[in-house]
Amino acid sequence: MARAGLTPARLTQAGAELADEVGFDEVTVSALARRFDVKVASLYSHVRNSEDLRTRIALLALEEMADRAADALAGRAGKDALTAFAAVYRDYAREHPGRYAAAQMRLDPETAAASAGVRHAAMTRAILRGYDLTEPDQTHAVRMLGSVFHGYVSLELAGGFSHSAPDSEESWHRILDALDALLRNWPTS
């Protein structure tokens, strides 16, 4: 019988909220038990251990971002799609820093293949089809975009751009312009 209305979904949501408050690295079954004012053992019928909880949070974050990205991309192509897609990642990271960190968690191959990460890759490739990229260039571009988005967002969240002019918002738009130009003139091998 579920104690205090606890379910795997409720624990995952609470764990995601905790990650946003204290950081993903601080999320454990013990920390979650304290949040619900229950004994740790009472959570083990819902999650196997802290790694299971963290994996569930990562899957939730990937799903949330994929849903946002799908909505943002609807009816868009080219630079408009690229900009909307990039904004999803940046906005999500700003709103949910712990969940964003969770989305970067390395998943085992089977879990990753069943996750919304597959949707992220498919949406990125759909954007790149608008730039007429084919393989292997498309894969190189997927990796480049992921690296640039994640790198910029991570540095920005850490305060890396807060101490100098121009404003990071201006840099963000310049970077997106540069990515669009690069994708339009992708070097052939």
Side-chain angles (χ1 to χ4, degrees):
M1 183 166 186
R3 169 143 187 192
L6 299 179
T7 65
R10 185 164 179 226
L11 292 174
T12 301
Q13 185 63 42
E17 292 166 7
L18 183 62
D20 289 337
E21 292 168 20
V22 301
F24 183 59
D25 290 339
E26 302 301 316
V27 175
T28 63
V29 173
S30 297
L32 203 55
R34 284 191 297 276
R35 175 165 274 215
F36 282 100
D37 196 28
V38 298
K39 294 186 187 299
V40 172
S42 65
L43 300 186
Y44 287 127
S45 61
H46 305 289
V47 294
R48 289 188 305 274
N49 51 39
S50 291
E51 184 69 15
D52 178 42
L53 174 63
R54 292 164 54 82
T55 298
R56 290 170 186 268
I57 295 166
L59 294 172
L60 172 69
L62 287 168
E63 188 73 34
E64 288 175 343
M65 286 194 311
D67 290 345
R68 285 185 181 198
D71 289 344
L73 289 175
R76 296 181 181 199
K79 184 180 178 192
D80 190 33
L82 177 69
T83 301
F85 192 66
V88 166
Y89 285 88
R90 188 175 183 219
D91 293 347
Y92 188 84
R94 287 171 158 179
E95 293 169 30
H96 302 292
R99 292 179 215 202
Y100 180 78
Q104 310 311 311
M105 180 179 169
R106 185 179 189 143
L107 302 172
D108 68 74
E110 185 178 316
T111 302
S115 77
V118 175
R119 289 176 55 206
H120 291 268
M123 286 183 276
T124 306
R125 289 180 184 280
I127 292 167
L128 294 173
R129 281 194 296 276
Y131 290 98
D132 293 324
L133 294 182
T134 58
E135 286 301 344
D137 292 328
Q138 198 176 87
T139 296
H140 296 312
V142 167
R143 292 172 180 166
M144 177 190 68
L145 292 176
S147 297
V148 171
F149 298 161
H150 177 64
Y152 193 91
V153 165
S154 296
L155 288 169
E156 187 176 48
L157 285 176
F161 307 134
S162 62
H163 58 320
S164 62
D167 183 76
S168 68
E169 190 69 25
E170 182 180 338
S171 296
W172 177 251
H173 291 289
R174 297 280 303 261
I175 289 167
L176 293 175
D177 289 343
L179 287 172
D180 175 63
L182 175 61
L183 291 170
R184 289 184 191 285
N185 300 293
W186 189 265
T188 57
S189 17

